[in-house]
Amino acid sequence: MNVPFLDLKFPYIELKDELDAAYRRVMESGWYILGTEVEAFEAEFADYCESKQCVGVANGLDALHLIVRGYGIGPGDEVIVPSNTYIATWLAVTHAGATPVPVEPDERTYNIDPAKIEQAITPKTKAIMVVHLYGQTADMDPINVIARKHGLKVIEDCAQAHGSRYKGRRAGSLGDAAGFSFYPGKNLGAVGDGGAVTTNDIELADRIRILRNYGSQIKYHNEVVGFNSRLDELQAALLRIKLTRLDEWNDRRRQVAGRYLLELAGQQKLTLSHVPEWAESVWHLFVVRYPQRDQLQKSLTEAGIGTMIHYPIPPHLQSAYAALAYDRGSFPIAENIHNEVLSLPIGPSMTLSDAEQVVHAMRSSIVALR
Ligand SMILES: *Cc1c(COP(=O)(O)O)cnc(C)c1O
């Protein structure tokens, strides 16, 4: 590959001395679960997200699932979710026994369309789970207005939005509670699985602290039926170091994205994502739309450019959700997006000359496909 889709080893190369020292500190401490590193990371990440509380958990799916559980949402309840998202958003709802009710996205931003939410609300609706897809926040003000009017919780899926801002405020502080993933490929990634909940709701945070640890506050006293979903000390120690670089790494992504937006504008049949003036994206992914997506991907692969598709099949057409009985055509906007999207390389390791190579390969592929 001339330009790989993502270089996962890069953060280690850049921060080797600091990460190695943190690794040794944890190894030598003899304390590996729920200790001072997790506590410190929780305080630092809450601060970063401009949120009062942070609870470290085992992964992003658990973060979202435990929020749903923590609000007592379960069988018989409905949660509004985007039709255009990664399946984890829906799984968080169904794992709690509740029903996901999909709402179509805005075609220009790929995020849930606030204008379509109200018609999906029923007497069973308990929450709206928004996803800040590809690194750009959903349009939160109208969503919060609808939620307040109907007495619903707003849950943010921030798995792709560490550091993203909406009207100057950070993702993770824009609703009632937010779930983050630290899967290695995310903007803030561990060297394994990890996740966190941020919230200003102290009672919810306390319930999730109990739920993540076997339903227990005092060892061997179990108040509720809990889970084992803890962020471990080693991941927390490594994440603390990477967190100090997150803004810088997001800036580098922004520079690459800026170059793509400038140099790929006006290419025939190519759609670039729209960034509203209130959004400060962290460009988890740089997604373009192109009618002959598969041919474009093949041509880029031949030119040594790594790409991926996020995502090839929407949740409502996955066999996992056959029981929900949706068909092809149930959510046409999401389906069209899934048929046409392609993610170009982006990440903190990329140089502007890498970006130039991608631009060059894109332009010549598009000319050849005309
Ligand atoms: C990655 C991701 C998740 C799940 O995170 P895990 O840590 O892999 O469980 C949830 N939602 C979205 C939108 C994601 O991209």
Side-chain angles (χ1 to χ4, degrees):
M1 278 289 148
N2 298 337
V3 185
F5 179 70
L6 178 65
D7 180 357
L8 277 178
K9 197 170 161 187
F10 160 81
Y12 181 57
I13 305 300
E14 184 159 309
L15 301 177
K16 187 175 188 310
D17 291 345
E18 286 170 77
L19 292 169
D20 285 349
Y23 167 80
R24 277 195 299 273
R25 184 174 76 231
V26 174
M27 294 306 279
E28 283 163 14
S29 75
W31 191 280
Y32 306 121
I33 294 283
L34 295 184
T36 53
E37 299 289 347
V38 169
E39 262 173 43
F41 173 73
E42 287 175 342
E44 289 155 12
F45 195 63
D47 198 44
Y48 179 86
C49 295
E50 301 168 358
S51 185
K52 287 192 186 127
Q53 299 277 316
C54 170
V55 186
V57 296
N59 55 65
L61 170 58
D62 283 3
L64 296 167
H65 172 212
L66 295 183
I67 293 168
V68 176
R69 291 250 174 193
Y71 279 134
I73 297 169
D77 296 331
E78 293 177 355
V79 176
I80 289 177
V81 295
S83 55
N84 179 50
T85 184
Y86 180 55
I87 196 166
T89 315
W90 289 38
L91 288 172
V93 175
T94 54
H95 280 5
T99 303
V101 176
V103 167
E104 289 268 60
D106 176 327
E107 286 238 41
R108 300 195 325 144
T109 63
Y110 307 113
N111 276 321
I112 195 165
D113 185 346
K116 300 202 180 91
I117 291 177
E118 235 167 349
Q119 65 211 47
I121 295 174
T122 75
K124 295 178 180 171
T125 309
K126 292 293 184 308
I128 305 169
M129 191 177 289
V130 302
V131 181
H132 306 313
L133 202 65
Y134 309 148
Q136 181 170 300
T137 63
D139 190 3
M140 295 305 290
D141 282 350
I143 294 171
N144 281 317
V145 168
I146 295 166
R148 267 195 296 276
K149 181 173 153 198
H150 294 272
L152 310 176
K153 297 293 182 194
V154 174
I155 303 168
E156 303 172 73
D157 178 342
C158 291
Q160 304 190 357
H162 316 70
S164 191
R165 288 183 189 272
Y166 175 75
K167 300 186 179 174
R169 290 177 295 134
R170 291 269 197 205
S173 68
L174 304 173
D176 293 291
F180 286 87
S181 163
F182 306 123
Y183 180 76
K186 308 290 186 184
N187 288 40
L188 178 62
V191 294
D193 280 309
V197 173
T198 59
T199 182
N200 287 334
D201 183 340
I202 293 174
E203 284 170 23
L204 176 75
D206 285 343
R207 280 197 294 280
I208 293 175
R209 283 198 183 93
I210 294 170
L211 283 173
R212 75 171 170 185
N213 191 28
Y214 290 111
S216 168
Q217 263 179 306
I218 302 164
K219 209 170 169 74
Y220 306 131
H221 291 253
N222 305 88
E223 303 161 37
V224 295
V225 177
F227 301 85
N228 177 358
S229 181
R230 300 171 298 216
L231 181 67
D232 65 68
E233 287 285 286
L234 183 57
Q235 299 304 341
L238 301 176
L239 285 168
R240 290 180 68 194
I241 292 161
K242 290 183 175 185
L243 180 58
T244 65
R245 304 304 167 99
L246 180 56
D247 284 338
E248 186 190 327
W249 286 345
N250 283 342
D251 278 340
R252 289 190 214 160
R253 287 173 181 271
R254 232 169 253 133
Q255 284 189 10
V256 172
R259 188 58 67 100
Y260 286 161
L261 286 173
L262 196 67
E263 301 205 21
L264 294 174
Q267 291 292 307
Q268 212 172 34
K269 292 193 255 165
L270 184 77
T271 308
L272 302 175
S273 51
H274 170 66
V275 185
E277 77 290 345
W278 42 255
E280 195 181 302
S281 178
V282 289
W283 300 102
H284 174 60
L285 296 170
F286 190 94
V287 173
V288 299
R289 280 180 78 169
Y290 192 71
Q292 300 150 273
R293 185 262 317 274
D294 295 342
Q295 286 107 304
L296 178 60
Q297 182 173 42
K298 185 162 172 281
S299 165
L300 291 170
T301 305
E302 282 160 10
I305 307 297
T307 59
M308 287 182 72
I309 296 169
H310 298 93
Y311 296 90
I313 306 170
H316 72 276
L317 297 179
Q318 297 283 359
S319 55
Y321 283 127
L324 294 175
Y326 291 117
D327 291 319
R328 201 163 289 282
S330 296
F331 300 101
I333 300 177
E335 289 169 29
N336 286 339
I337 289 173
H338 280 68
N339 287 335
E340 292 190 351
V341 284
L342 187 66
S343 305
L344 303 184
I346 196 158
S349 68
M350 272 182 77
T351 62
L352 287 180
S353 111
D354 292 331
E356 282 307 323
Q357 281 194 62
V358 176
V359 165
H360 179 78
M362 279 288 285
R363 286 182 171 172
S364 38
S365 300
I366 288 170
V367 167
L369 286 170
R370 261 213 297 259

